[in-house]
């Protein structure tokens, strides 16, 4: 199921990355978690979904002017369903959530089409870019990140 068409798609990456401060002083985190724990939690809920899936990062570049941003993407595709036959469904969670929010719906939604579920930047297993403090600018940055993901 791997799509190697775009160099922006990465399979062997782990996000969000810890910075040196977090790795040396883990007890000072707001929430004591790690990218490994996020991956383990996702794998637990994926076990309940019957439709086969594949997870990967989509590198969307420098959306906020800092480091490159990578959006965690999970593609659900039932055997026999071709992506070219129907328009894929893209599921984007709300604030404070992640793609796990869709776990109970994916089997039904992926019966006759490919389903993509993404973690928005700053959430779930995606990168943690530093967004602007201006709400209008943050909105533009999120729109740009989703548009760059779509282009890939």
């Amino acid at each position: 199921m791997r799509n190697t068409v775009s160099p922006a798609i990465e399979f062997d990456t782990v996000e969000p990355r810890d910075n040196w401060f977090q790795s040396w002083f883990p007890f000072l985190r707001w929430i004591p978690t790690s990218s490994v724990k996020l991956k383990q939690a996702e794998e637990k809920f994926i076990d309940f979904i019957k439709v086969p899936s594949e997870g990967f990062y989509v590198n969307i570049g420098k959306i906020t002017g800092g480091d490159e941003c990578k959006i965690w993407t999970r593609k659900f595709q039932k055997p026999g369903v071709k992506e070219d036959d129907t328009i894929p469904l893209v599921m984007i969670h709300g604030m404070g959530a992640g793609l796990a929010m869709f776990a109970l719906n994916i089997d039904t939604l992926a019966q006759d089409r490919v389903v993509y579920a993404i973690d928005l930047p700053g959430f779930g297993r995606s990168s943690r870019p530093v967004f602007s403090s201006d709400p209008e600018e943050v909105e533009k940055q999120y729109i740009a990140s989703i548009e760059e993901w779509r282009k890939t």
Side-chain angles (χ1 to χ4, degrees):
M1 189 177 353
R2 285 194 178 206
N3 177 0
T4 56
V5 174
S6 173
I9 295 178
E10 302 174 17
F11 290 93
D12 301 322
T13 303
V14 176
E15 292 282 336
R17 291 173 290 182
D18 287 342
N19 63 35
W20 70 269
F21 187 81
Q22 291 171 325
S23 64
W24 284 52
F25 303 101
F27 54 87
L28 293 178
R29 289 186 183 170
W30 178 60
I31 297 175
T33 190
S34 69
S35 52
V36 173
K37 288 182 181 178
L38 286 169
K39 183 177 187 232
Q40 290 170 343
E42 180 178 282
E43 288 170 353
K44 284 183 181 179
F45 88 79
I46 292 294
D47 286 343
F48 293 98
I49 300 173
K50 295 178 183 106
V51 173
S53 69
E54 170 178 52
F56 51 90
Y57 287 95
V58 176
N59 187 334
I60 60 170
K62 297 180 179 184
I63 295 299
T64 63
D67 293 331
E68 288 187 335
C69 183
K70 297 174 183 172
I71 294 181
W72 178 246
T73 304
R74 188 157 281 280
K75 178 181 180 180
F76 298 89
Q77 187 170 10
K78 187 176 175 182
V81 173
K82 294 183 176 72
E83 195 164 0
D84 297 336
D85 291 346
T86 59
I87 296 172
L89 175 64
V90 178
M91 302 187 72
I92 303 173
H93 62 77
M95 294 305 202
L99 64 84
M101 295 290 298
F102 308 120
L104 297 176
N105 302 335
I106 289 175
D107 283 328
T108 302
L109 294 171
Q111 289 300 308
D112 58 354
R113 70 181 64 239
V114 174
V115 175
Y116 290 93
I118 68 172
D119 280 333
L120 288 171
F123 296 93
R125 293 181 61 192
S126 289
S127 299
R128 305 285 194 262
V130 177
F131 286 100
S132 171
S133 58
D134 175 31
E136 290 180 9
E137 182 63 24
V138 172
E139 182 179 351
K140 290 176 186 175
Q141 290 170 332
Y142 268 110
I143 290 169
S145 66
I146 293 168
E147 182 62 16
E148 287 303 313
W149 178 89
R150 185 193 66 80
K151 289 178 185 176
T152 307

